[in-house]
Amino acid sequence: MSLALSALPVHATTLRAKSGAANSQITTQLPRSVRPTHYAVSITPDAKAATFAGHVTIDVQVLQPTASITLNAADLVFGQVQLHSANAGNKAAPANATVRIDADNETAIFTFGKTIKPGKYRLDMAYTGLIGSQAVGLFSLDYANADGPRRALYTQFENASARRMIPSWDEPNYKATFALQATVPAGQLAVSNMPIATTTTLADGRQQVTFGRSPTMSTYLLFFGLGDFERATLQAEGTELGVITQRGALPQAQFALDSSAAVLREYNNYFGVRYPLPKLDNIAAPGRSQFFGAMENWGAIFTFERVMLLDPTISTQTDKERAFSIAAHEIAHQWFGNLVTMQWWDDLWLNEGFASWMESRTTTRLHPEWQTALDAVAMRDDAMNLDAFITTHPVVQHVDTVEQASQAFDAITYKKGESVIGMLENYVGETAWRDGVRAYMKTHAYGNTTSDDLWRAVEKTAGVGKPIMAIAHDFTLQPGVPMIRVDDVQCKAGTSTITLSQSEFSRDQPGKAPRAWRVPVSVQLVGSSDRISTLVVGGKATLTVPGCGAVLVNAGQSGYYRTAYSAPVFNTLAAQFPVMAPIDQLGVMADSWALGVTGLQPMRDFLNLAAAAPLSAEPRVWKTIASAFQQINDYYKSDPARQKTFSTFAIARLTPMLTQLGWTARAGEADTVPSLREQLIDVLSELDDPVTIAEARRRFAAQDRDPTAVPAAIRKTIMAVVIEHADAPTWEAMRQLASAEKSPMIKGDLYQLLSTSKNPSLAAQAMALALTDEPGVTTSAGMLAGVSVKYPDLAFDFALANMARVNERVDASSLSRFFPSLASKSASPDMIVKVKAYADAHLAAGSRRDADTAVARIKDRMRIVAERLPEIDRWLADAAGGTRVN
């Protein structure tokens, strides 16, 4: 479906909730006079024609006298609509409706010519609709495998697209039960939230499949899939777990299936409420989306193949860890989101922040060998990097329109939400936190909540003196990043007295009056096991710790704040960097980098840490260093001579680490090593290291005669280096390789790699290719985004010049975000003008956050180039002369 790039002007109102917080409000875009209780849905899809016929009977309760019934519907054409009384003894004839469609507000209004009295009714509707090619509503995905071309159907309803397949009350607070029936071609597998109850063969050979009745749930959690699928199952915890793939790919889903069993056991125990459905499938689909990678439909998780399947010819350790973490995330949603659902999209983070937190917690518990607990710092940084701009928003944010709801799926919702949860759990203790979550689940099962419902439950289990509600409000109802300043450390008589103050970390509002937070802070001396915690209230705190030495604030890195040390305190801390715990090394590096690029701390502080890190440091420390070097190199791209000076230093610093690891895995190496190997090769390629580029080319050329030349673990990485530095014939050869590939998952990856060339003319070719049918219509947007990493101005101009064709290849949920995302890596003042002009022409006033954020990021890059790169130049000159400046 093609959708104009403008906000849907849905008119929202707010009504007081009947449950939950006394002052909570529920936003609505529909009248509250009628409420659904059950949907009986029947659909007959015609995949070839890309249409479907539907029929739905909705059991409704009319709560107030009304002359009409309004519900959500988009791109549906109605036949007969009737209202039947379901009140006992009422034998009145059904009332026929006059149908009016409000396309702007995506609603259908049914008028019956008389006032409908309160009571129970059945609303009966026949209609037809469209099957799209992007992941919105009921959509198709085309692919080819060894058996030839195939078309599969799936649904994606979050956040407001159930209305494209079912006329419905498409808001999370309208929960109901669902009974789905589908008429489908024989030989294809149909799947939904519940198991198949009956299958009937019709006279024409088609099959009518009826699924069991669902539990009470929000409309956006309904799922339907149909195709040439295979399914494998196992029993765990009394639940049938399944994986569903295209025919022939089932073995690649075994890890996901086994992981689901382990995760389900963990969650049944943690939540204290067992998974309530009889089955839980994970459906793997070809293609991709700019909006999402997986969706938590209750009992029928939808996941794109590229983030679920593991192909032994190309999948990496990073892919394996991602497959597990995404499964853990989506299964967590079966409780947080499905069993208990936010009342409205304002509290989306109750779904996403908690699923992210459970994902991280569970991955750490079940796979300690991956050391994923260390990823908490990078995750927190992603949130802070967005939260430090003026364009940020609170975790709990007010949502009025469909596009605003789509834009709410960002790093603040997911990663800041996860960070705040981790901080609060650390503050109250694991047991008290878990007990609060269990109480919340039991109290609100099958219902809707606001954030305060959770805070009340945790505050009750946390005990006296733990102001959970107040702290949570500080971090979720206002935006921004606290900054804890370590102003002074005095050591007398074997005791250190530490003076702290609270300000605010901002990337684009220097000198602004800081907001106030109640901040849980942990302090420790490096090398000591004694950790002292306090709550910084009113902007200042003083605390004492036994002993003298280097003071580490945010010890363990559970706090959501930046730590800024006075120069003498930082220098003492930096001297102890090699003996810190890895999590604290990562935290200190993250803060010194962020404060450095913002000008709140000298850049040399981070660079000195990066220059002194030993080869024995934890792999994630080296990944942090490599990532920072990659960013700095990119900041220099407009000045090749200065860039060469920096890249020479960075190559010399990273090469010994890659040499130590080697290009191929060694027996017994830690699971944390392969992803570092991938990243080092990638970054050295970005730095134009001739040795790395030559080795990648050598291995790629030798693979036909030497099967060991390109190990599966670095196959994608080697191809990425070759394509990044390809000439025209090599690029074309890789295109032919992509075209001939039989695996849809690998094919998509290869076309995506074609968009990463450093050659601007080949980047332009990749964009032109993206707008053809060759890569697949769901791959196009990713290719344009791939070009924008190196050539944001080129990508934005191309997309703008081809807007209609681009819009056809971008999920409707991503439309207001896609163009700004292409521009965000620019450092050109001209791009600021273009983005603002684009927003003025195509975005509603309430849907410009991503455009405004893109402008803020462009300004930030311009400032870094102008102000921070001279600092780095001076540091490089000192380093070349053998001088280290402190």
Side-chain angles (χ1 to χ4, degrees):
M1 181 189 71
S2 178
L3 183 68
L5 197 60
S6 58
L8 298 173
V10 186
H11 304 293
T13 59
T14 304
L15 299 180
R16 189 169 302 281
K18 295 182 178 179
S19 61
N23 294 320
S24 66
Q25 304 286 304
I26 306 174
T27 302
T28 178
Q29 298 168 348
L30 295 169
R32 292 294 185 189
S33 55
V34 180
R35 189 170 190 88
T37 59
H38 176 70
Y39 295 79
V41 183
S42 177
I43 63 166
T44 303
D46 184 337
K48 184 176 181 181
T51 61
F52 67 91
H55 185 277
V56 61
T57 299
I58 309 176
D59 293 343
V60 299
Q61 290 181 328
V62 175
L63 306 175
Q64 304 166 15
T66 180
S68 64
I69 294 177
T70 300
L71 45 63
N72 291 116
D75 292 332
L76 301 178
V77 176
F78 287 91
Q80 187 178 58
V81 176
Q82 292 185 321
L83 186 69
H84 303 256
S85 174
N87 294 321
N90 190 329
K91 304 298 183 180
N96 293 314
T98 300
V99 181
R100 181 171 66 86
I101 300 298
D102 184 342
D104 287 341
N105 287 323
E106 296 187 343
T107 57
I109 301 94
F110 305 135
T111 304
F112 299 97
K114 63 179 182 179
T115 299
I116 306 167
K117 298 178 180 179
K120 295 180 180 180
Y121 297 85
R122 293 192 308 276
L123 182 61
D124 190 81
M125 292 168 278
Y127 59 95
T128 59
L130 304 175
I131 299 174
S133 60
Q134 298 294 325
V136 177
L138 177 61
F139 66 98
S140 64
L141 289 174
D142 293 340
Y143 63 96
N145 56 23
D147 298 322
R150 292 288 185 270
R151 171 168 288 183
L153 302 182
Y154 309 91
T155 58
Q156 168 59 22
F157 290 162
E158 190 178 36
N159 51 312
S161 292
R163 64 192 65 175
R164 300 183 186 281
M165 190 180 94
I166 308 167
S168 56
W169 280 260
D170 195 8
E171 295 183 1
N173 194 53
Y174 282 112
K175 286 192 166 184
T177 55
F178 294 82
L180 178 64
Q181 183 181 84
T183 301
V184 302
Q188 294 196 353
L189 177 61
V191 59
S192 187
N193 308 75
M194 299 296 288
I196 293 174
T198 62
T199 301
T200 304
T201 300
L202 303 179
D204 61 3
R206 292 180 301 168
Q207 292 185 324
Q208 190 175 76
V209 178
T210 303
F211 298 94
R213 187 184 183 112
S214 79
T216 301
M217 65 184 189
S218 299
T219 319
Y220 75 88
L221 295 172
L222 187 66
F223 177 79
F224 172 70
L226 176 67
D228 184 21
F229 299 152
E230 291 183 303
R231 182 172 186 252
T233 65
L234 60 78
Q235 291 289 325
E237 300 279 290
T239 300
E240 182 179 87
L241 297 177
V243 286
I244 297 173
T245 71
Q246 59 164 293
R247 188 170 300 280
L250 205 53
Q252 298 176 21
Q254 188 64 46
F255 178 73
L257 181 59
D258 294 339
S259 297
S260 296
V263 171
L264 186 68
R265 284 190 289 269
E266 179 73 14
Y267 289 171
N268 276 340
N269 175 63
Y270 186 86
F271 288 120
V273 176
R274 295 180 65 80
Y275 176 75
L277 276 66
K279 66 97 174 174
L280 175 57
D281 281 318
N282 198 343
I283 301 98
R288 60 187 66 201
S289 165
Q290 289 299 296
F291 185 59
F292 73 109
M295 174 60 201
E296 66 268 18
N297 314 295
W298 213 355
I301 297 168
F302 173 92
T303 308
F304 284 106
E305 288 180 345
R306 59 188 296 269
V307 294
M308 174 181 165
L309 302 186
L310 298 179
D311 185 325
T313 69
I314 199 167
S315 295
T316 67
Q317 176 66 26
T318 301
D319 294 329
K320 185 177 184 179
E321 292 177 16
R322 180 176 60 182
F324 183 90
S325 65
I326 288 178
H329 182 101
E330 303 307 329
I331 296 174
H333 273 310
Q334 308 303 299
W335 284 264
F336 263 106
N338 298 4
L339 181 64
V340 182
T341 314
M342 75 269 159
Q343 284 185 351
W344 181 248
W345 302 105
D346 293 13
D347 284 294
L348 174 64
W349 87 287
L350 280 173
N351 288 14
E352 301 301 347
F354 273 88
S356 297
W357 173 72
M358 284 300 294
E359 159 201 337
S360 298
R361 177 190 181 277
T362 304
T363 305
T364 296
R365 283 178 60 84
L366 298 184
H367 286 286
E369 72 278 11
W370 295 348
Q371 295 290 308
T372 52
L374 299 177
D375 292 333
V377 173
M379 176 271 301
R380 182 186 69 196
D381 253 29
D382 286 346
M384 288 183 175
N385 287 338
L386 183 59
D387 207 15
F389 286 106
I390 192 173
T391 55
T392 187
H393 62 84
V395 171
V396 178
Q397 56 184 311
H398 185 60
V399 170
D400 277 328
T401 69
V402 170
E403 284 194 347
Q404 287 175 3
S406 297
Q407 291 174 352
F409 291 80
D410 65 5
I412 300 298
T413 296
Y414 284 75
K415 297 182 179 182
K416 182 175 182 179
E418 177 182 351
S419 296
V420 170
I421 292 166
M423 178 177 66
L424 291 173
E425 184 205 27
N426 183 72
Y427 178 65
V428 304
E430 289 185 8
T431 300
W433 181 265
R434 181 204 62 201
D435 290 347
V437 170
R438 286 179 173 179
Y440 169 83
M441 281 290 158
K442 290 177 181 177
T443 301
H444 300 287
Y446 303 102
N448 297 81
T449 62
T450 65
S451 298
D452 279 358
D453 293 312
L454 177 68
W455 304 141
R456 273 190 291 272
V458 175
E459 193 161 67
K460 186 174 181 179
T461 59
V464 178
K466 297 284 188 180
I468 298 302
M469 184 83 74
I471 298 169
H473 282 178
D474 286 351
F475 280 88
T476 62
L477 300 185
Q478 65 179 349
V481 182
M483 184 159 64
I484 298 297
R485 293 186 177 274
V486 186
D487 298 316
D488 188 37
V489 176
Q490 294 291 330
C491 189
K492 294 181 180 179
T495 299
S496 295
T497 300
I498 305 161
T499 304
L500 306 175
S501 61
Q502 179 250 300
S503 57
E504 183 173 356
F505 173 72
S506 174
R507 293 187 72 131
D508 59 356
Q509 297 182 85
K512 73 178 286 288
R515 299 177 177 94
W517 289 265
R518 279 154 280 210
V519 186
V521 172
S522 297
V523 179
Q524 188 173 343
L525 297 184
V526 177
S528 171
S529 59
D530 295 326
R531 185 173 295 177
I532 306 298
S533 297
T534 190
L535 189 65
V536 176
V537 181
K540 292 185 179 298
T542 300
L543 68 161
T544 59
V545 296
C548 298
V551 171
L552 175 67
V553 174
N554 205 3
Q557 304 303 311
S558 66
Y560 185 81
Y561 55 87
R562 292 284 183 209
T563 304
Y565 299 89
S566 64
V569 178
F570 182 83
N571 290 337
T572 301
L573 181 64
Q576 298 299 311
F577 183 80
V579 298
M580 289 181 196
I583 188 75
D584 292 318
Q585 289 178 324
L586 292 167
V588 170
M589 293 185 76
D591 285 336
S592 61
W593 167 261
L595 295 168
V597 296
T598 313
L600 297 173
Q601 188 171 329
M603 278 297 303
R604 65 174 180 267
D605 288 347
F606 172 83
L607 293 168
N608 285 339
L609 294 176
L615 294 180
S616 59
E618 211 282 334
R620 279 174 177 77
V621 171
W622 276 99
K623 289 179 72 174
T624 298
I625 293 169
S627 178
F629 285 177
Q630 188 173 20
Q631 289 183 64
I632 293 171
N633 188 67
D634 187 55
Y635 290 139
Y636 274 117
K637 66 182 178 183
S638 63
D639 193 331
R642 293 164 73 199
Q643 185 184 55
K644 178 65 175 176
T645 300
F646 174 76
S647 65
T648 298
F649 158 76
I651 290 168
R653 187 73 187 103
L654 297 178
T655 296
M657 189 72 248
L658 179 57
T659 300
Q660 177 175 293
L661 299 182
W663 280 62
T664 56
R666 295 168 182 169
E669 74 177 17
D671 286 350
T672 54
V673 168
S675 60
L676 173 59
R677 179 182 290 115
E678 292 176 59
Q679 184 166 359
L680 288 172
I681 294 171
D682 176 68
V683 173
L684 285 166
S685 173
E686 284 282 339
L687 294 168
D688 291 329
D689 174 38
V691 175
T692 299
I693 296 167
E695 178 64 5
R697 286 171 169 166
R698 183 193 70 77
R699 287 175 173 271
F700 186 77
Q703 61 183 323
D704 289 340
R705 62 180 182 276
D706 179 6
T708 67
V710 182
I714 56 171
R715 180 183 172 192
K716 283 188 286 190
T717 305
I718 287 174
M719 289 191 294
V721 175
V722 171
I723 291 177
E724 183 175 32
H725 300 279
D727 57 15
T730 302
W731 189 90
E732 183 57 35
M734 295 296 278
R735 175 184 175 180
Q736 295 302 319
L737 187 67
S739 178
E741 176 59 50
K742 296 301 182 185
S743 163
M745 181 172 69
I746 298 177
K747 179 187 285 285
D749 285 345
L750 290 175
Y751 277 111
Q752 187 67 41
L753 286 176
L754 287 170
S755 69
T756 62
S757 173
K758 280 196 169 185
N759 184 319
S761 65
L762 294 178
Q765 279 187 241
M767 292 191 295
L769 178 63
L771 294 190
T772 70
D773 292 336
E774 180 182 322
V777 293
T778 66
T779 304
S780 304
M783 292 180 69
L784 296 179
V787 171
S788 76
V789 173
K790 292 182 175 68
Y791 297 106
D793 301 76
L794 183 68
F796 184 86
D797 290 347
F798 176 88
L800 204 62
N802 296 275
M803 180 178 288
R805 296 168 68 194
V806 170
N807 285 348
E808 293 173 354
R809 290 164 167 80
V810 177
D811 296 353
S813 304
S814 303
L815 280 171
S816 67
R817 321 181 78 170
F818 184 70
F819 281 79
S821 73
L822 299 179
S824 62
K825 287 187 176 295
S826 176
S828 167
D830 292 341
M831 181 58 77
I832 294 175
V833 176
K834 293 177 185 178
V835 171
K836 288 182 176 179
Y838 162 80
D840 289 342
H842 302 288
L843 299 180
S847 302
R848 299 189 183 187
R849 180 187 295 152
D850 285 85
D852 293 341
T853 299
V855 169
R857 289 189 180 279
I858 295 167
K859 290 180 178 178
D860 188 60
R861 291 177 67 85
M862 292 168 58
R863 180 189 54 76
I864 291 171
V865 169
E867 299 176 9
R868 301 283 80 79
L869 293 191
E871 272 193 83
I872 298 174
D873 292 339
R874 291 191 293 272
W875 185 89
L876 289 169
D878 290 337
T883 302
R884 175 173 169 170
V885 179
N886 289 315

